[in-house]
Amino acid sequence: MAAAGRTAGELAGAAEREAAAWLAPPAPVRLADVVPAPERVEPDPGADYLLPTDAVIRVSADPDALAVGEQLAALLRPATGYPLPVTDTAGPTPTGGIALHLTDDADLGAEGYRLDVSADGVRIGARTAAGLWHGVQTLRQLFPPSIESATPVGARWALPGGSILDRPRYPHRGAMLDVARHFFTVADVLRVIDHLARYKLNRLHLHLTDDQGWRIAIDSWPRLATVGAASEVGGGPGGYYTRADYRRIVAYAAARHVTVVPEIDLPGHTNAALVAYPELAPDRTAPPPYTGTEVGFSYVDPASERTYDFVADVLGELAALTGGQWLHIGGDEAFKVPADVYARFVERTQRIVAGLGKTVVGWHQIAPAAHTDGRVLQWWGTSGDDPVTADAVRRGASVILSPGNHAYLDMKYAPDTPIGHDWAGLIDVRRAYDWDPATHLTGVPTDAVLGVEAPLWTESVTTLAEIEFMLLPRLPAIAELGWSPRSTHDWDSFRRRLAGHGPRWTAAGIAFHHAPEVPWSTPPSLPAPRPAPPDHSATGSAQA
């Protein structure tokens, strides 16, 4: 025993687990069932692991890694009922528990990980805490679906044996939530962050301002919140995030290795700002609050120096509150601003962002403006032939792909979907999955594509349940495009793996669309949203 370096108790525990493995049925989840699909999967059917009641989570002695260990314990404790203590003594080989280990393996990059499951335990290795976090999301999926229960479940907590090597295809993998058309509480946004993190998405783009409402408090322009936030589509009360609210969202996301990308839409989509501060309007007259869904009618005065004071103040305060490097300036559908005036406005705004030490992101309509270092275009078109965007890329821009007819999650699934739009077409799960970001835009080389993002505009979405209904099951499809190697892209494999997530979402109380093209094992447990009353002011829009 001394030669083996293991105590009598450890050997007895190992023998007990080995005997249990021989007598028990195989783990109910396969190693290859993960979404997004890992880069490499090597199953070992003889190495299934049964989590014992006295399992310990051992973590490298690093504060960020320890935080991931505590989050793993918090994920597993409710359903298992196990104490799962976390300790900072991660050894080279786990015994009877789970080890999270920081390594110097350069091949794993900033977000990659290795996961090994043997009869003796589980080990996740990564260069960073973000990599450990992504490994934990994979480990979570290898447990039976009832692991998502908020109360103890009498289940056999078995994991399939084998190893996984996994790294992301793209650095930007995100979703956008429009909180301007309808306002959503901090708790709702945190729940959306949880959905993103579950599928290894690492960006939350918050569309904070639009004609219908301004959703972030700005100290130097206080009426933006007190006046500009008091409306939404349909005439509801609206709302806004205080600075403390926004910091809470940013911190919650960061703890889950998700970066918030805030958007202040300029120079159009600004009716709410003009209601609060008519001095920004071209005619210096306050418009009435807007609760419809048309677009393109509002803009701040691009000829006024007061407008640029406003832009600098707002973006400066937001930059100070936001940990990530990106500020999104919108830029779409400013139909009433002449093209040359619009280009000069964008160029000046880009310089303001650069002066704040941030990287500018804008909808692809900003493409004609002069390039600034690091500039990112978010492309939402429906045809892959866009010479203007391709030209901006040749001048140095990078691109995030959000094609309206594949990635816009406010589009209906089918003609009878009770909420959503269809201006970009119907988007079922297969349509969300069956496209390749690397080749989607003509004239845009692969190395100019930063990744993918799935926007959810909320003209017709009013509740958290409706958000979830529109996100799921299409969000995992976008996540797989952003994370998994192109070689793993296979619709039939994806739909079968995705089907296994229905019971997980049900156990977690998550609403989702029971898409008929996915072979779900159980019927829907939550009703679909009811259709909203028709909004006769809506004419449809390219943005949403």
Side-chain angles (χ1 to χ4, degrees), residues 179-493:
V179 296
R181 271 50 178 276
H182 281 101
F183 179 68
F184 295 93
T185 66
V186 171
D188 292 341
V189 176
L190 302 189
R191 172 93 161 188
V192 170
I193 292 169
D194 287 338
H195 296 329
L196 269 58
R198 180 189 292 265
Y199 293 106
K200 304 183 180 73
L201 296 168
N202 64 352
R203 304 281 185 268
L204 173 63
H205 171 183
L206 280 179
H207 183 75
L208 290 166
T209 67
D210 216 297
D211 292 314
Q212 298 85 353
W214 184 282
R215 306 302 182 205
I216 181 71
I218 301 296
D219 285 352
S220 54
W221 297 75
R223 286 172 58 84
L224 291 171
T226 58
V227 175
S231 58
E232 63 183 10
V233 168
Y240 66 92
Y241 305 119
T242 66
R243 293 167 68 90
D245 289 336
Y246 183 74
R247 286 194 188 100
R248 182 183 172 199
I249 291 169
V250 169
Y252 187 91
R256 287 148 185 81
H257 302 277
V258 174
T259 300
V260 172
V261 180
E263 180 188 351
I264 303 297
D265 208 345
L266 297 165
H269 290 277
T270 49
N271 193 82
L274 303 182
V275 173
Y277 289 99
E279 66 200 81
L280 300 173
D283 62 1
R284 310 297 185 263
T285 301
Y290 186 66
T291 61
T293 58
E294 293 184 9
V295 299
F297 58 89
S298 66
Y299 62 101
V300 292
D301 183 2
S304 169
E305 283 302 306
R306 189 61 174 151
T307 290
Y308 298 100
D309 293 339
F310 164 77
V311 172
D313 290 343
V314 169
L315 294 181
E317 288 193 33
L318 198 56
L321 294 171
T322 302
Q325 72 184 76
W326 300 276
L327 288 181
H328 202 303
I329 62 170
D332 62 329
E333 298 172 329
F335 297 144
K336 294 191 175 182
V337 181
D340 58 334
V341 176
Y342 170 86
R344 289 194 296 271
F345 175 89
V346 169
E347 288 160 7
R348 188 163 176 181
T349 301
Q350 289 179 158
R351 291 195 294 272
I352 290 171
V353 173
L356 295 168
K358 300 289 186 178
T359 298
V360 69
V361 186
W363 300 109
H364 70 267
Q365 281 73 22
I366 73 169
H371 180 67
T372 56
D373 282 349
R375 186 168 74 138
V376 179
L377 308 182
Q378 184 168 0
W379 187 85
W380 57 268
T382 58
S383 165
D385 187 15
D386 185 344
V388 177
T389 295
D391 176 68
V393 169
R394 283 191 291 273
R395 290 185 282 124
S398 300
V399 179
I400 297 166
L401 273 296
S402 299
N405 54 346
H406 290 282
Y408 264 39
L409 302 187
D410 54 305
M411 294 298 113
K412 292 173 178 281
Y413 291 94
D416 61 350
T417 303
I419 55 177
H421 308 283
D422 60 6
W423 63 262
L426 303 173
I427 302 179
D428 60 13
V429 182
R430 182 163 191 170
R431 188 164 184 81
Y433 185 78
D434 264 349
W435 61 285
D436 181 10
T439 59
H440 195 74
L441 268 181
T442 302
V444 173
T446 299
D447 60 4
V449 177
L450 288 184
V452 295
E453 185 175 298
L456 177 59
W457 302 98
T458 62
E459 289 94 338
S460 67
V461 176
T462 62
T463 66
L464 175 62
E466 291 176 354
I467 289 175
E468 292 178 338
F469 179 84
M470 300 304 276
L471 290 181
L472 300 170
R474 293 180 293 193
L475 187 67
I478 303 298
E480 182 147 309
L481 294 179
W483 178 276
S484 304
R486 176 62 180 169
S487 60
T488 68
H489 189 101
D490 178 80
W491 163 246
D492 193 54
S493 167

Side-chain angles (χ1 to χ4, degrees), residues 77-94:
R77 284 172 183 150
T80 65
Y82 298 172
L84 293 168
V86 179
T87 177
D88 60 354
T89 56
T93 55

Side-chain angles (χ1 to χ4, degrees), residues 89-102:
T89 56
T93 55
T95 301
I98 301 171
L100 307 181
H101 175 61
L102 288 176

